[in-house]
């Protein structure tokens, strides 16, 4: 047998061989190049300056009692506070007309954008907050999903958080956003399609089956409690990408039991605390909740989950950029999902 044929017969070594991995939720492939972690340059390990933030910043528009850009006064709220984004990317009163001319297509998009303050305390981030305080954030996510989702023209409610200046976040006050819109955005369309296909063929949720396999294999698990598991998905593209999956199959945040709500708050705290320990800084990320669209249809295939995409790679100051090959071909990563999970577990 030639050397080449012998190589082809050998099993894949995830920790050394360049390989592709399949994302079961989107149906897309990504590239893993673990051998590159052995290259001599491992990046800087400097700590950025420690930023001590006051509990109340008179210049912060999200702090209780302060004034927003449009002159509205933020009330003296005690736990959470939500308001319509003054510069929303989507607005409710706009044309829904569609446009088609030759090959060119466009369509009006209606929506509502909101900003959610997680806490009146300017100095905190989610991992610093108590489980009880995080539960109040979940309460608000639930009521917003319900209220916005019940509007006839809203087909999808995207709840997310951009944390840290590295992620383009404009204000360190603990906050997240909601963009609700009149069509289903494309990441959700992809995930709906993949989950539906699996549900129809197996009468089981795709993520339920995936979670069962990950709980057996263990190497990508980060932390878990009675109702939720946090893991680095097999197909993760961001260095410390993670996903929170409920053990029970339910479609949306409105279906959490009281015990599940507490467990969800606890795992949010646990995972985000682990992130902060990776490089000993407040870890930047974008996180988002993926759940059933609010288009009035039943979505038995949907399995609620939350994804975290943190950009930091080698240190507090070395960030991964999705550029070059990743813009023109596929996402790619060097450290494997298994290495990242081991670091987050540790
Ligand atoms: P980020 O910091 O996550 O980008 O979000 C803050 C949002 O707050 C941003 O979308 C809004 C911005 O439009 N905002 C207001 O609604 N009112 C203000 O007075 C300032 C910022």
């Amino acid at each position: 047998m030639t050397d080449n044929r012998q190589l082809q017969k050998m099993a894949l070594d995830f920790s050394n061989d360049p390989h592709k991995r399949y994302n079961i939720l989107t149906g897309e492939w990504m590239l893993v190049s673990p051998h590159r972690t052995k290259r001599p340059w491992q990046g800087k390990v400097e700590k950025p300056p420690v930023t001590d933030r006051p509990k109340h910043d008179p210049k912060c528009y999200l702090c209780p009692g302060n004034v927003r850009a449009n002159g509205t006064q933020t009330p003296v709220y005690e736990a959470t506070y939500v308001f319509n984004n003054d510069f929303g990317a989507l607005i409710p009163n706009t044309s829904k007309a569609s446009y088609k001319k030759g090959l060119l297509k466009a369509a009006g998009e209606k929506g509502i954008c909101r900003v959610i303050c997680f806490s009146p305390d300017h100095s905190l981030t989610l991992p610093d907050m108590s489980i009880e305080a995080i539960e109040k954030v979940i309460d608000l996510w639930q009521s917003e999903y319900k209220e916005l989702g019940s509007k006839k023209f809203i087909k999808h409610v995207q709840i997310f958080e951009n944390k840290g200046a590295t992620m383009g976040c404009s204000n360190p006050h603990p906050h997240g956003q909601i963009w609700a819109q009149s069509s289903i955005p494309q990441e959700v369309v992809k995930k709906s399609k993949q989950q539906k296909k699996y549900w129809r063929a197996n009468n089981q949720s795709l993520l339920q089956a995936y979670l069962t396999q990950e709980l057996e294999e263990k190497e990508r698990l980060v932390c878990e409690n009675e109702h939720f598991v946090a893991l680095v998905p097999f197909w993760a593209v961001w260095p410390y990408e993670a996903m929170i999956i409920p053990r029970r199959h339910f479609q949306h945040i409105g279906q959490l039991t009281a015990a599940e709500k507490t467990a969800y708050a606890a795992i949010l705290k646990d995972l985000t605390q682990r992130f902060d320990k990776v490089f000993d800084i407040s870890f930047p990320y974008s996180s988002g909740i993926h759940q059933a669209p609010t288009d009035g249809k039943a979505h038995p295939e949907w399995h609620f989950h939350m994804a975290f995409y943190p950009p930091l790679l080698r240190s507090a100051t070395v960030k991964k950029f999705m550029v070059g090959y990743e813009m023109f071909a596929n996402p790619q990563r060097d450290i494997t999902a298994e290495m990242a999970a081991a670091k987050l577990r540790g």
Side-chain angles (χ1 to χ4, degrees):
M1 215 186 283
T2 65
D3 284 357
N4 204 21
R5 278 231 206 113
Q6 252 163 354
L7 265 177
Q8 278 177 18
K9 284 205 132 193
M10 273 159 49
L12 257 184
D13 174 2
F14 280 163
S15 62
N16 195 46
D17 300 337
H19 60 279
K20 294 195 300 181
R21 293 193 188 192
Y22 183 66
N23 181 336
I24 56 169
L25 280 172
T26 61
E28 293 167 343
W29 290 86
M30 48 82 61
L31 181 68
V32 189
S33 315
H35 58 297
R36 289 198 355 134
T37 54
K38 298 196 179 100
R39 69 194 189 281
W41 184 72
Q42 293 286 307
K44 295 190 269 185
V45 276
E46 296 160 11
K47 276 191 200 174
V50 178
T51 44
D52 244 350
R53 290 205 304 273
K55 285 177 156 311
H56 186 275
D57 177 351
K59 286 197 228 81
C60 167
Y61 58 86
L62 298 177
C63 277
N66 291 353
V67 177
R68 300 213 304 266
N70 67 356
T72 312
Q73 188 174 26
T74 303
V76 182
Y77 60 99
E78 309 232 306
T80 57
Y81 175 60
V82 59
F83 62 93
N84 282 337
N85 195 318
D86 303 316
F87 310 96
L90 294 155
I91 49 173
N93 301 317
T94 181
S95 165
K96 262 221 88 178
S98 49
Y99 169 93
K100 188 157 180 4
K101 192 174 173 196
L103 292 172
L104 310 182
K105 276 204 272 185
E109 186 72 13
K110 286 173 182 273
I112 299 172
C113 293
R114 291 188 172 157
V115 180
I116 287 189
C117 301
F118 294 164
S119 161
D121 187 334
H122 185 81
S123 69
L124 299 182
T125 60
L126 261 191
D128 309 320
M129 288 167 57
S130 68
I131 291 174
E132 296 71 36
I134 300 175
E135 278 186 76
K136 298 237 166 67
V137 176
I138 300 172
D139 285 338
L140 197 55
W141 286 341
Q142 286 183 307
S143 58
E144 288 296 308
Y145 176 81
K146 192 166 164 210
E147 196 243 308
L148 291 166
S150 66
K151 292 187 193 296
K152 234 180 152 190
F153 73 101
I154 296 293
K155 301 234 176 346
H156 183 260
V157 179
Q158 184 59 59
I159 297 171
F160 64 96
E161 178 190 3
N162 274 337
K163 180 172 171 252
T166 322
M167 291 311 289
C169 181
S170 60
N171 184 336
H173 192 105
H175 72 283
Q177 295 193 43
I178 302 181
W179 293 20
Q181 66 189 98
S182 55
S183 72
I184 304 178
Q186 56 194 22
E187 277 302 294
V188 181
V189 168
K190 284 187 238 166
K191 288 190 173 185
S192 281
K193 196 171 148 207
Q194 290 292 106
Q195 291 182 100
K196 203 175 271 176
K197 206 158 64 176
Y198 192 89
W199 174 259
R200 285 193 178 144
N202 301 282
N203 203 25
Q204 186 192 24
S205 107
L206 175 63
L207 278 185
Q208 191 86 70
Y210 174 62
L211 187 58
T212 305
Q213 185 171 346
E214 288 292 19
L215 287 168
E216 273 163 22
E217 297 195 5
K218 294 194 170 58
E219 56 182 344
R220 281 169 297 274
L221 300 180
V222 175
C223 53
E224 56 186 291
N225 62 32
E226 200 186 337
H227 298 289
F228 285 86
V229 178
L231 51 83
V232 178
F234 182 69
W235 52 85
V237 297
W238 292 96
Y240 293 93
E241 181 172 332
M243 184 154 74
I244 293 179
I245 310 174
R247 292 183 195 269
R248 182 173 72 88
H249 171 206
F250 58 85
Q251 286 72 35
H252 61 78
I253 197 160
Q255 295 166 319
L256 286 169
T257 64
E260 282 169 342
K261 191 190 292 178
T262 308
Y264 183 25
I267 203 154
L268 269 167
K269 185 173 170 73
D270 190 349
L271 176 65
T272 52
Q273 276 183 323
R274 285 167 193 271
F275 280 153
D276 284 1
K277 283 182 195 141
V278 173
F279 298 124
D280 205 11
I281 50 145
S282 181
F283 213 55
Y285 59 72
S286 264
S287 68
I289 291 173
H290 269 163
Q291 53 190 332
T294 55
D295 55 357
K297 297 185 184 140
H299 286 284
E301 74 282 2
W302 258 94
H303 193 127
F304 172 94
H305 59 281
M306 184 170 190
F308 288 80
Y309 302 150
L312 292 184
L313 176 58
R314 294 187 199 94
S315 73
T317 52
V318 180
K319 165 185 163 174
K320 174 187 173 67
F321 290 94
M322 287 280 186
V323 292
Y325 175 85
E326 294 166 306
M327 281 180 157
F328 297 105
N330 268 337
Q332 180 270 349
R333 66 181 288 136
D334 294 348
I335 63 162
T336 64
E338 296 73 36
M339 293 173 192
K343 181 128 185 185
L344 287 167
R345 268 199 309 275

